[in-house]
């Protein structure tokens, strides 16, 4: 390989190292700036993008001595111009990346704020609904304590040959809108509010826990019911298991009982049970 002006080869003089080089202090540039005309570009693309803006960084351009030739001055100016253009391009790219990042952060922040507002709105709506429900489902006083059978019901049951001592209270409750609506079509009897847990025999409890093979619905037990007007009707009792509780429910002809006795929301009723020759009976009476 041919030697350059100062006796070194061009390959040895080119800047191919990964370390930053100060152009003013690099001896090869001062002696022959043209011999490494492509070294700046070569060195620039060897570095990672994040470090490219640091190439030949200096506070001020090199001072051209009177003894330097025009060709040396021209070579230095070319490299200085190339440095400025590359730094400017890299800064523009960095600025665009920052703007994109800031835009994404702003969008994410906006989405988070919208989500928090929606969540807060939903929570407020649920809380309002719960308050309304609790207001509607508040217990109405006074509740008769201790519960007693009405005289008409006592007489009716006595004429059936059943001793009054055998009659057991199932529940004393307030009627709610859901107990009287055609959407639900049932009277709810919460299991945890049942006064006498043994109003059902062990066999009846077992039947209520079984399911029909065809429909996969829980089995029901048929009862004879004496309603507040002392009319007799047949009604079914079932057990519904909820996520946090279980309810007994009166089904089928329950809405006929509601219409016939003009039952209203807020009324206090008592449900009694007894057996007549092993036949299960229920009796419903209005207290308030």
């Amino acid at each position: 390989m041919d030697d350059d002006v100062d006796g070194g080869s061009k390959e040895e003089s080119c800047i191919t190292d990964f370390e930053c080089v100060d152009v003013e202090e690099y001896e090869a540039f001062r002696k022959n700036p043209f011999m490494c005309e492509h070294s700046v570009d070569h060195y620039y693309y060897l570095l990672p993008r994040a470090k490219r803006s640091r190439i030949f960084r200096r506070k001020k351009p090199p001072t051209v001595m009177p003894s330097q030739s025009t060709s040396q001055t021209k070579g230095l100016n070319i490299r200085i111009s190339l440095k400025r253009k590359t730094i400017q391009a890299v800064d523009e790219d960095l600025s665009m990346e920052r703007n994109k990042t800031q835009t994404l952060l702003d969008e994410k922040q906006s989405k988070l704020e919208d989500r928090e507002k929606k969540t807060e709105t939903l929570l407020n709506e649920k809380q309002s609904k719960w308050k309304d429900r609790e207001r509607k489902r508040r217990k109405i006083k006074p509740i008769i304590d201790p519960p007693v059978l009405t005289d008409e019901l006592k007489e009716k049951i006595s004429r059936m040959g059943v001793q009054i001592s055998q009659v057991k209270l199932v529940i004393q409750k307030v009627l709610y809108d859901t107990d009287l609506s055609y959407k639900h079509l049932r009277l709810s009897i919460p299991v945890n509010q049942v006064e006498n847990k043994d109003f059902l025999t062990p066999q009846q409890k077992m039947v209520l826990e079984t399911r029909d093979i065809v429909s996969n619905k829980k089995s029901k037990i048929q009862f004879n019911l004496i309603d507040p007007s002392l009319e007799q009707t047949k009604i079914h009792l079932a057990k519904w298991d909820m996520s946090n509780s279980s309810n007994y429910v009166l089904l089928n002809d329950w809405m006929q009982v509601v219409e016939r006795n003009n039952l209203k929301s807020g009324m206090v009723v008592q449900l009694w049970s007894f057996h007549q020759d092993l036949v299960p009976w229920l009796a419903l009476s209005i207290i308030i």
Side-chain angles (χ1 to χ4, degrees):
M1 187 175 292
D2 295 333
D3 294 340
D4 57 8
V5 177
D6 60 345
S9 63
K10 293 182 179 180
E11 183 177 0
E12 294 174 353
S13 302
C14 291
I15 304 173
T16 57
D17 197 15
F18 280 87
E19 297 180 357
C20 290
V21 178
D22 190 341
V23 178
E24 296 177 8
E25 296 180 359
Y26 200 80
E27 189 67 18
F29 278 99
R30 289 204 299 271
K31 292 182 178 181
N32 190 354
F34 284 101
M35 70 182 203
C36 293
E37 185 174 350
H38 302 289
S39 295
V40 175
D41 183 65
H42 178 61
Y43 181 78
Y44 173 76
Y45 286 104
L46 286 176
L47 286 176
R49 180 184 292 272
K51 294 183 179 180
R52 290 177 183 177
S53 62
R54 300 179 183 177
I55 300 176
F56 310 130
R57 187 179 297 276
R58 56 181 177 271
K59 298 181 179 180
K60 60 182 179 179
T63 304
V64 180
M65 301 301 293
S67 61
Q68 289 180 325
S69 63
T70 306
S71 60
Q72 291 176 326
T73 303
K74 185 177 180 180
L76 290 174
N77 289 337
I78 290 173
R79 283 186 288 278
I80 291 171
S81 177
L82 178 59
K83 172 195 169 181
R84 289 175 179 173
K85 289 180 179 179
T86 53
I87 290 176
Q88 183 179 1
V90 172
D91 290 342
E92 288 178 357
D93 290 341
L94 290 175
S95 179
M96 291 178 63
E97 290 295 330
R98 290 194 195 97
N99 292 336
K100 289 180 181 179
T101 304
Q102 186 63 36
T103 302
L104 290 174
L105 289 175
D106 293 341
E107 291 178 356
K108 287 184 179 180
Q109 184 67 24
S110 177
K111 289 181 180 180
L112 287 174
E113 290 178 356
D114 293 341
R115 188 179 299 175
E116 288 177 357
K117 289 180 181 179
K118 290 181 181 179
T119 303
E120 186 177 358
T121 302
L122 290 174
L123 289 175
N124 291 335
E125 290 178 356
K126 286 185 178 181
Q127 188 175 4
S128 177
K129 288 181 181 179
W130 277 108
K131 287 182 179 180
D132 293 341
R133 184 178 297 179
E134 289 297 326
R135 193 180 301 112
K136 290 180 180 180
R137 295 178 66 86
R138 66 183 184 277
K139 291 184 178 181
I140 300 176
K141 299 291 183 177
I143 299 295
I144 304 302
D145 190 22
V148 292
L149 283 167
T150 61
D151 294 337
E152 296 82 0
L153 194 55
K154 281 182 180 180
E155 184 179 354
K156 176 77 175 178
I157 294 174
S158 296
R159 278 190 273 130
M160 294 172 61
V162 179
Q163 296 182 1
I164 301 301
S165 59
Q166 296 178 354
V167 182
K168 300 177 181 179
L169 177 67
V170 178
I171 191 171
Q172 182 173 237
K173 65 166 289 180
V174 178
L175 293 178
Y176 300 115
D177 293 338
T178 53
D179 294 321
L180 309 173
S181 70
Y182 280 91
K183 178 180 178 180
H184 297 83
L185 298 172
R186 90 287 183 275
L187 173 66
S188 176
I189 306 171
V191 174
N192 58 358
Q193 296 181 23
V194 173
E195 297 291 340
N196 292 284
K197 306 294 183 181
D198 57 346
F199 83 97
L200 294 172
T201 64
Q203 292 79 9
Q204 289 174 333
K205 292 179 180 179
M206 187 179 300
V207 170
L208 293 178
E209 296 296 336
T210 61
R211 291 183 178 273
D212 185 81
I213 299 176
V214 179
S215 63
N216 198 35
K217 293 182 179 179
K218 278 198 170 184
S219 301
K220 299 178 288 187
I221 300 175
Q222 180 175 288
F223 281 80
N224 295 321
L225 175 68
I226 302 174
D227 65 22
S229 63
L230 302 183
E231 294 286 336
Q232 297 182 15
T233 186
K234 294 187 181 298
I235 203 164
H236 288 84
L237 178 75
K239 184 180 180 182
W240 290 353
D241 294 323
M242 309 299 179
S243 58
N244 298 323
S245 61
S246 298
N247 293 338
Y248 295 117
V249 289
L250 295 183
L251 303 169
N252 300 103
D253 293 338
W254 167 247
M255 295 309 297
Q256 295 181 8
V257 176
V258 172
E259 293 178 355
R260 184 165 55 245
N261 294 274
N262 196 25
L263 299 180
K264 302 293 183 182
S265 178
M267 286 183 173
V268 180
V269 297
Q270 293 174 347
L271 185 66
W272 303 83
S273 71
F274 59 92
H275 287 79
Q276 181 192 32
D277 298 331
L278 301 179
V279 178
W281 282 79
L282 293 174
L284 184 70
S285 60
I286 300 174
I287 303 303
I288 299 176

